[in-house]
Amino acid sequence: PAMIRAGFLDGLWIHLSERLPLHVPMEIRSAIAYQNMNRWSEADGILSALLLAKGRNWYETAVEDLALLTRRDEIACAMAWLRRAAHSPSPRPHLERQIAALVGNQKVTLREKVVLRLWLAHIAHQRRDATGARGHLRAGLQDAARLGCHGVLSEERIFVAPLLQDQRIRAHVEASPDIRAALAIYAASINSPRAKARSAGITQRETQMLQLVADGFPNKRIAQVLSISEATVKFHLSNLYTKIGCRNRNEAVRAARALGWL
């Protein structure tokens, strides 16, 4: 049988992503990266530019219909817009009902439901509802521990960290041994350079490339090490530069070192 050259499938995927809805998850990841860096207007711009049937206004006002979403791109977009709303200092009145509708959606993954519970805890905390904040956080942490999806805690650090800074909430949730273990993993993860980058929305592939760039590897050598094409390397590096707000590899390395990612 004919051999498929290294990087061909990566290149094909990129080629298709420019023409088909496959690009939507990539754009949403970029938007979340901007959200994690507190660059909300840039995140809004990316989400608003997505060519989907439902726009921002629909996601901000829909309630029961959120439970009926079936397409992955629409669920991901709803999550991104609700993530923005959940982080607001003054959450809109029906936000909890919107999140509850997504929790009840059968197409929403268990991991996503952990995320939604963490948002509910944050919203309750914003509303000065200590009981609600403790209850939702405890449920989210228990589910994260049960499912083994500890990485979600560091990825949602902008919601988790303020909750854990409240000693009354922390003391309540740490009564559970499973939650204490999960929080220990979370504490270790957010202190590693790679985890800091991931919590800022940098993907695993981008963190790999960032390290190789810092080590002085040219694009051709990076492609060989990662068994991908040079076009794919350039594609990922371009995304990385956009997320960091840099123009080239030297600026990216300096910024990454300043941020503690290397």
Side-chain angles (χ1 to χ4, degrees):
M3 295 293 291
I4 298 177
R5 65 177 176 82
F8 173 80
L9 294 179
D10 295 286
L12 177 61
W13 187 80
I14 293 170
H15 175 76
L16 291 173
S17 72
E18 295 174 348
R19 293 161 175 77
L20 300 175
L22 291 173
H23 81 284
V24 172
M26 296 162 50
E27 291 294 287
I28 291 174
R29 274 312 298 175
S30 295
I32 291 173
Y34 281 125
Q35 290 178 348
N36 286 341
M37 291 186 284
N38 205 33
R39 293 162 65 174
W40 296 94
S41 60
E42 289 160 285
D44 292 351
I46 291 174
L47 294 174
S48 296
L50 293 176
L51 299 177
L52 297 176
K54 298 175 176 63
R56 176 175 183 173
N57 184 64
W58 190 91
Y59 290 112
E60 290 185 342
T61 57
V63 180
E64 288 82 3
D65 286 343
L66 292 171
L68 305 177
L69 294 177
T70 57
R71 290 175 44 178
R72 285 305 311 168
D73 57 355
E74 291 184 341
I75 290 173
C77 198
M79 294 280 291
W81 280 119
L82 291 188
R83 191 176 197 265
R84 190 204 198 294
H87 195 262
S88 170
S90 302
R92 55 179 174 257
H94 62 287
L95 183 56
E96 289 96 332
R97 291 171 52 219
Q98 290 183 296
I99 293 176
L102 272 183
V103 171
N105 187 316
Q106 295 183 352
K107 296 295 183 179
V108 171
T109 67
L110 294 175
R111 186 181 187 281
E112 288 170 334
K113 290 180 181 181
V114 171
V115 170
L116 292 167
R117 289 195 180 281
L118 296 177
W119 296 354
L120 285 171
H122 182 82
I123 294 166
H125 194 237
Q126 294 285 71
R127 299 198 195 283
R128 302 185 185 280
D129 175 7
T131 301
R134 289 195 300 265
H136 288 306
L137 180 60
R138 185 183 181 90
L141 293 175
Q142 284 178 330
D143 286 347
R146 177 174 55 84
L147 297 170
C149 57
H150 300 98
V152 73
L153 302 181
S154 59
E155 290 171 11
E156 298 299 320
R157 183 179 179 181
I158 61 173
F159 297 97
V160 175
L163 291 165
L164 295 178
Q165 288 170 1
D166 187 319
Q167 292 304 314
R168 292 173 299 177
I169 293 177
R170 186 170 191 130
H172 175 80
V173 300
E174 284 186 331
S176 164
D178 289 342
I179 291 179
R180 285 201 302 273
L183 290 179
I185 295 171
Y186 162 73
S189 70
I190 63 175
N191 291 321
S192 71
R194 180 163 292 191
K196 290 177 182 178
R198 293 296 300 276
S199 68
I202 308 303
T203 67
Q204 182 175 351
R205 178 64 88 190
E206 289 164 353
T207 57
Q208 289 174 329
M209 290 192 178
L210 186 57
Q211 185 61 62
L212 292 171
V213 167
D215 290 340
F217 282 44
N219 288 353
K220 183 175 182 179
R221 180 60 179 145
I222 293 175
Q224 292 171 343
V225 170
L226 299 179
S227 298
I228 57 179
S229 69
E230 284 190 65
T232 306
V233 172
K234 292 177 182 178
F235 174 80
H236 284 299
L237 287 179
S238 176
N239 279 346
L240 177 64
Y241 299 158
T242 299
K243 289 179 182 180
I244 302 177
C246 296
R247 294 170 297 180
N248 54 54
R249 59 208 299 128
N250 291 331
E251 288 185 5
V253 170
R254 286 198 298 270
R257 284 184 174 142
L259 292 166
W261 297 352
L262 293 171

